[in-house]
């Protein structure tokens, strides 16, 4: 079946450092979504990317969708303690228009 | 009005007992999902409801798991004869039929089987 892999599994940074998490799919994706889950919280939708090579920014967060639509990245510039949490990518499962396959996530911790 | 709600927030049960977990989706959302999240793991799809269509039960791990959605709104996930490996956070999410594909998650129910 389809697999969505994320690396790294964990990342610890000093506040102010940059952070990047990578997401790779075993199949071409029609779109990819990113979610953030704060410790003890629930996943919250961040963004959806649809187009090949698409880049979207949300303040200090930059999301990219690869040209082949099989990989994606989330980059955070100058991390803050509020960025702490697990970042998940998710892609349509087998081309489904409703079912998502989630990666295992990258846990980001930030040392103030 | 409010977001997705789930109850109970925490449930401790003895091995072998049955449990029911409830999800109240966002009003008007026709799609409803159940996921399981084990400690430090990603989200495991369990079941999907969309309107009056037959649910996609392909993610249910065993026949001890079942779910219902009454009146196209509230959903109940039932786990019969609970086992220790059922311990996890059970998350519910809902989604509108049109517009963005984002799923709105509830706070989850933390199930502990002793």
């Amino acid at each position: 079946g389809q697999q969505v892999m994320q690396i790294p599994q964990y990342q610890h940074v000093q506040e102010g450092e940059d952070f990047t998490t990578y997401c790779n799919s075993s199949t071409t994706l029609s779109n990819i979504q990113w979610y953030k889950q704060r410790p003890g919280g629930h996943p919250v939708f961040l963004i959806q990317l649809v187009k090949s090579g698409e880049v979207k920014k949300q303040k200090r967060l930059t999301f990219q969708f690869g040209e082949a639509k099989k990989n994606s990245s989330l980059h955070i510039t100058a991390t803050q303690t509020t960025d702490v949490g697990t970042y998940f990518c998710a892609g349509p499962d087998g081309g489904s228009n409703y079912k998502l396959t989630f990666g295992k996530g990258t846990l980001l911790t930030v040392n103030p | 009005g409010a977001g997705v709600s789930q109850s109970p927030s925490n449930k401790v049960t003895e091995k072998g007992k049955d449990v029911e977990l409830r999800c109240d989706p966002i009003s008007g959302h026709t799609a409803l999902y159940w996921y399981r999240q084990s400690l430090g793991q990603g989200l495991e799809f369990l079941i999907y409801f969309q309107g009056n269509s037959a649910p996609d039960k392909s993610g249910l791990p065993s026949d001890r798991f079942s779910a219902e959605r009454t009146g196209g709104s509230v959903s109940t996930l039932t786990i019969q004869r609970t086992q220790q490996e059922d311990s996890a956070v059970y998350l519910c999410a809902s989604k509108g039929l049109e517009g963005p594909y984002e799923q709105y998650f509830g706070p989850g129910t933390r199930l502990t089987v002793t």
Side-chain angles (χ1 to χ4, degrees), chain A residues 11-18 78-81 108-112:
Chain A
Q11 183 77 60
H12 178 75
V13 299
Q14 290 292 128
E15 189 170 22
E17 291 182 339
D18 292 356
T79 54
Q80 300 176 358
T81 54
L108 171 66
T109 55
V110 179
N111 198 29

Side-chain angles (χ1 to χ4, degrees), chain A residues 35 37 42 48 98-99 104, chain B residues 33 37 56 58 101 103 106:
Chain A
Y35 290 78
Q37 184 175 26
H42 57 275
Q48 177 175 278
Y98 65 83
K99 191 174 173 181
K104 292 190 181 298
Chain B
Y33 300 77
Q37 186 174 34
D56 178 349
S58 60
Y101 295 138
Q103 297 182 19

Side-chain angles (χ1 to χ4, degrees), chain A residues 9-10 31 33 35 37 40-45 48 50 88 97-105, chain B residues 33 35 37 40-43 45 48 56 58-59 91 95 100-108 110:
Chain A
Q9 189 175 359
Y10 306 99
N31 65 81
Q33 298 181 20
Y35 290 78
Q37 184 175 26
H42 57 275
V44 175
F45 175 83
Q48 177 175 278
V50 177
F88 294 98
N97 65 353
Y98 65 83
K99 191 174 173 181
L100 293 176
T101 298
F102 283 81
K104 292 190 181 298
Chain B
Y33 300 77
Y35 293 92
Q37 186 174 34
Q41 297 297 308
L43 281 73
F45 168 83
Y48 165 79
D56 178 349
S58 60
L91 290 160
K95 182 168 75 71
Y101 295 138
E102 62 202 82
Q103 297 182 19
Y104 295 82
F105 285 83
R110 181 174 298 278

